[in-house]
């Protein structure tokens, strides 16, 4: 990515990065020094996957970026064999941006929760909300609306790991990537994944009507991603 990204000379609406965390003996799991600074030259909005340890160890490399929020991916199965700690069933996706928050595409998503609607109001009720503003949360005036039964998508996203169906050992599932992309990239916009692996981000982007570019160092994963993307999907 450090060679190809500058050569492409593109500005993306969103980068979705799932970098090597530098936490395993896998040969490709080596942090490319300085990549967040390079990414900052090609977009102003970025989701980055990682562990808390990864972000804390590399915090000096994110100085070009402001943090807007963190999302947790809750997976069905744990990773790792450690028996001296809690079983790890989550990873983080942090959203970073540059410039003014009002200039960054961010469209809060709503859905009808699978377990039914919970909360202080029920569908049909008139709801009043006080205004709020502050750094990284934008500005919202006091307003009233009718509860339509939908709720905001929450910061914990449950999505099953790809085990058995995976092209790549750390492949992210499309149902996890889809809300991140729809939140931060406008329809028809360009998503760039500098560590594309199986092409999961590119697949999620096209399924949600966004354009996508992927960069991947490993030739075999590139070929498998290209094959995946050559298959038709019903949109
Ligand atoms: C965590 S995996 C990404 C998995 C991907 N998100 C998926 O869902 O399939 C990181 C990928 O980055 C690739 N990689 C490592 N260093 C790279 C570099 N400098 N440039 C481009 N790709 C690199 C690795 O080969 C690996 O496939």
């Amino acid at each position: 990515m450090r060679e190809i990204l500058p050569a492409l000379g593109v500005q993306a609406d969103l980068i979705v990065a799932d970098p090597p965390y530098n936490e395993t003996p896998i040969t490709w799991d080596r942090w490319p020094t300085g990549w967040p600074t390079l990414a900052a030259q090609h977009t102003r909005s970025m989701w980055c996957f990682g562990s808390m340890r990864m972000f804390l160890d590399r915090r000096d490399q994110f100085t070009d970026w402001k943090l807007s929020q963190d999302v947790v991916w809750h997976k069905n199965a744990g990773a790792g064999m450690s028996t001296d700690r809690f079983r790890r069933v989550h990873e983080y996706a942090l959203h970073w941006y540059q410039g003014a928050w009002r200039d960054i595409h961010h469209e809060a998503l709503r859905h009808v929760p699978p377990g039914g609607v919970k909360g202080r109001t029920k569908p049909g009720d008139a709801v009043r909300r006080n205004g709020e503003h502050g750094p990284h949360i934008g500005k919202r005036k006091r307003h009233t609306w009718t509860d339509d039964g939908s709720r905001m998508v929450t910061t914990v996203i449950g999505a099953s790991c790809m085990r058995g169906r995976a092209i790549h050992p750390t492949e992210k599932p499309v149902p996890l990537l889809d809300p991140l992309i729809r939140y931060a990239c406008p329809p028809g916009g360009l998503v760039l994944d500098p560590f594309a692996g199986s092409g999961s981000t590119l697949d999620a982007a096209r399924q949600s009507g966004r354009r996508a570019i992927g960069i991947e160092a490993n030739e075999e994963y590139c070929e498998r991603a290209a094959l995946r993307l050559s298959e038709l999907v019903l949109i």
Side-chain angles (χ1 to χ4, degrees):
M1 66 81 78
R2 287 184 296 195
E3 287 169 32
I4 291 174
L5 188 50
L8 288 176
V10 290
Q11 278 298 317
D13 294 286
L14 174 70
I15 283 184
V16 176
D18 181 16
Y21 296 7
N22 211 61
E23 289 179 348
T24 69
I26 301 174
T27 45
W28 55 253
D29 193 13
R30 297 290 164 267
W31 179 267
T33 302
W35 77 260
T37 299
L38 180 57
Q41 291 162 28
H42 295 273
T43 189
R44 291 184 302 151
S45 178
M46 172 168 80
W47 283 110
C48 181
F49 284 97
S51 64
M52 181 68 82
R53 188 185 304 283
M54 182 200 95
F55 285 113
L56 290 176
D57 284 353
R58 310 287 169 183
R59 61 189 176 280
D60 60 329
Q61 298 197 23
F62 285 85
T63 48
D64 299 288
W65 295 97
K66 291 184 269 191
L67 179 66
S68 83
Q69 60 199 297
D70 51 293
V71 163
V72 171
W73 170 30
H74 182 224
K75 24 189 179 178
N76 59 327
M81 304 299 282
S82 303
T83 53
D84 61 345
R85 59 200 68 201
F86 292 96
R87 187 161 167 74
R88 184 178 167 79
V89 291
H90 76 281
E91 283 177 49
Y92 291 99
L94 269 50
H95 181 249
W96 302 88
Y97 71 101
Q98 300 174 80
W101 180 238
R102 65 175 174 276
D103 298 333
I104 303 298
H105 181 88
H106 56 280
E107 188 164 340
L109 305 175
R110 300 185 74 84
H111 68 159
V112 177
V117 174
K118 295 186 184 87
R120 277 178 291 175
T121 62
K122 58 183 186 315
D125 286 354
V127 188
R128 237 165 119 189
R129 175 63 57 84
N130 287 331
E132 58 179 341
H133 63 92
H136 319 302
I137 60 169
K139 212 181 235 176
R140 229 161 49 152
K141 288 189 186 136
R142 187 187 173 110
H143 60 295
T144 306
W145 82 97
T146 304
D147 185 336
D148 64 357
S150 69
R151 293 293 179 267
M152 290 176 78
V153 171
T154 66
T155 53
V156 177
I157 301 176
S160 298
C161 292
M162 297 298 296
R163 292 226 168 114
R165 302 166 287 157
I167 293 173
H168 190 284
T170 64
E171 184 169 335
K172 303 294 177 285
V174 168
L176 164 69
L177 296 161
D178 174 79
L180 304 183
I181 291 171
R182 285 192 295 123
Y183 171 81
C185 182
L190 179 63
V191 180
L192 193 146
D193 183 345
F195 306 103
S198 65
S200 52
T201 301
L202 317 182
D203 198 0
R206 74 165 173 167
Q207 289 192 46
S208 63
R210 276 74 173 168
R211 295 169 295 130
I213 296 175
I215 302 170
E216 167 54 51
N218 181 304
E219 201 169 339
E220 190 189 330
Y221 294 143
C222 281
E223 281 171 9
R224 296 185 72 176
L227 184 64
R228 169 186 193 159
L229 293 166
S230 70
E231 288 165 2
L232 288 176
V233 285
L234 293 173
I235 296 177

